[in-house]
């Protein structure tokens, strides 16, 4: 039911868009995420984008992982 | 895509596992429930249990919407599929769930018109394309799916489409978590909060766990490092004796959730009591259409009779869903019950606890 992974929004037309799923294009509804823009990563559930990935928050979590790995490497 | 690969990074996972080991060292036994079926699947698939120290255990909760649909719900779906002029549309996972008188797949083999889609939007399109048939979508899912279904129903109403309706079996997750805790059958020290449900309802929806039950909650994403980070946070809360809600999936989840999705859901649905497999009737845990949308409610429109339902003989799904029984403790697990020929719903959906444990057994 749930793709669970962020996918790239390639095109946007009104309240729907096209995503790229490993080379296969698929249509998604953007009714629940009208703020989504082309080039964003969205999380899709049952054919509807339910969130737009927050890149700053993603980076913050990744840098936390890096810090942790570094501090334990010492 | 680095937002995927970096959250699967082996060095990050090793560092997180080490952090969990250090935090948990000497801290006694801890048991955390992963509520969400997507997490259950990811934990099995990535072998995450093997990375945890012996005193940190994970148990699966009732977080697979297909598994928690009651036997009566499955039977009503099968009964609908047998009606003349009716096309039943569903997510693939529902097809194999055994009802008292067989599954949707068996109904299709006997001539019923049952179709599988990825999205309720496809079901609405089908209704537009087949004006001569009553197209009924089986609305199975949690707060992640309910807004999508609500959106199609509101669209059908706006466009005056009269041959589309939904059998709403949607369920709400916080009341189910409360029911598990109130039953008091399983001792928990914290909860891994569902990632995509929380994307919709917000991390704040889980605040009742620390406030009313003294339990920590860590909302997690679906990659291995996401889940390990959530476990590390839960262990930290136990050790410090300070339960709270930690949002470990900030790239998708905010405190208040997706307000647009919540508004669409609110517009279409009202909260009602619902019957869960394993939990029975849980107050205020289901969604039915508002009276003004009664025309789009398949249950009302197609006047379904009350059916006698029988649980599959020997199946222990109820206990598995309450976290009381490990799937492998069910006498049918892996022998009479396998993903190829499932006896109960927990072996059907890839998000089901029995199916996830079977996958792990095959891998190991
Ligand atoms: S192993 Fe099969 S029969 Fe046993 S609880 Fe799981 S799904 Fe039900």
């Amino acid at each position: 039911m749930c793709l669970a992974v962020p996918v790239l929004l390639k095109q946007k037309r009104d309240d729907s868009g096209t995503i790229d799923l490993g080379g296969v294009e698929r249509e998604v509804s953007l009714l629940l995420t009208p703020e989504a823009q082309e080039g964003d990563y969205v999380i899709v559930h049952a054919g509807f984008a339910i969130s737009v990935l927050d890149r700053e928050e993603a980076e913050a979590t990744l840098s936390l992982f890096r810090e942790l790995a570094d501090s334990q490497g010492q | 895509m680095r937002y995927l690969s970096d959250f699967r990074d082996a060095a990050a996972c090793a560092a997180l596992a080490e952090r969990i080991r250090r935090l948990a060292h000497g801290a006694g036994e801890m048991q955390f429930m992963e509520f969400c079926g997507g997490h259950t699947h990811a934990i099995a698939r990535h072998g995450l249990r093997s990375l945890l120290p012996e005193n940190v255990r994970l148990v699966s909760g009732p977080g697979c919407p297909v598994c928690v649909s009651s036997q009566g719900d499955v039977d009503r779906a099968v009964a609908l599929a047998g009606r003349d002029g009716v096309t039943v549309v569903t997510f693939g996972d529902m097809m194999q769930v055994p009802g008292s008188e067989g599954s949707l797949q068996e109904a299709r083999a006997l001539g019923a018109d049952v179709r599988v889609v990825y999205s309720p939007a496809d079901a609405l399109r089908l209704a537009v394309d087949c004006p001569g048939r009553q197209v009924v979508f089986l609305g199975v899912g949690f707060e992640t799916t309910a807004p999508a279904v609500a959106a199609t129903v509101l669209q059908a109403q706006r466009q005056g489409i009269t041959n589309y309706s939904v059998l709403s079996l949607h369920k709400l997750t916080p009341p189910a978590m409360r029911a598990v805790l109130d039953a008091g059958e399983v001792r928990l020290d914290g909860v891994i909060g569902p990632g995509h449900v929380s994307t919709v309802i917000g991390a704040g929806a889980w605040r009742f766990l620390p406030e009313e039950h003294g339990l920590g909650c860590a909302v997690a994403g679906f990659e291995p490092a996401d889940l390990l980070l959530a476990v590390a946070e839960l262990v930290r809360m136990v050790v410090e004796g300070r339960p709270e809600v930690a949002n470990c999936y900030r790239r998708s989840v905010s405190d208040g959730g997706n307000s647009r999705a919540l508004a669409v859901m609110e517009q279409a649905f009202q909260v009602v009591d619902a019957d869960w497999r394993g939990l029975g009737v849980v107050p205020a845990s289901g969604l039915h259409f508002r009276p003004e949308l009664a025309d789009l409610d398949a249950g009302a429109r197609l006047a379904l009779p009350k059916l006698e339902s029988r649980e599959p003989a020997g199946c222990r799904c109820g206990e598995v869903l309450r976290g009381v029984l490990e799937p492998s403790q069910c006498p049918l697990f892996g022998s009479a019950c396998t993903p190829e020929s499932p006896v109960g719903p927990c072996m059907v959906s890839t998000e089901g606890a029995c199916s996830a444990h079977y996958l792990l057994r095959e891998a190991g």
Side-chain angles (χ1 to χ4, degrees), chain A residues 9 12 14 30 33-42 49 51-52:
Chain A
L9 182 64
K12 178 175 177 171
D14 301 326
L30 302 175
T33 51
E35 72 279 19
Q37 300 297 331
E38 287 175 8
D40 279 344
Y41 281 88
V42 291
S51 74
V52 178

Side-chain angles (χ1 to χ4, degrees), chain A residues 1-2 4-6 31-32 34 41 43 45-48 50-51 53-55 57-59 62 64-65 68-69 72, chain B residues 1-4 6-7 15-16 18-19 91 118-120 140 144-145 148 196 199 225 249-252 258 260:
Chain A
M1 268 161 79
C2 183
V5 298
L31 274 172
L32 306 176
Y41 281 88
I43 295 205
H45 185 92
F48 285 67
I50 55 167
S51 74
L53 189 101
D54 184 328
R55 288 180 194 226
E57 291 289 2
E59 292 299 340
L62 289 173
L64 181 93
F65 292 160
L68 210 62
Q72 284 178 5
Chain B
M1 209 283 256
R2 61 179 293 258
Y3 292 128
L4 210 56
D6 285 12
F7 287 91
L16 284 159
E18 178 57 23
R19 179 172 162 78
F91 295 126
Y118 289 106
S119 167
V140 172
T144 25
T145 317
H196 290 148
T199 293
Y249 193 32
R250 289 179 179 274
R251 62 190 187 280
S252 179
N258 179 335
R260 176 74 170 231

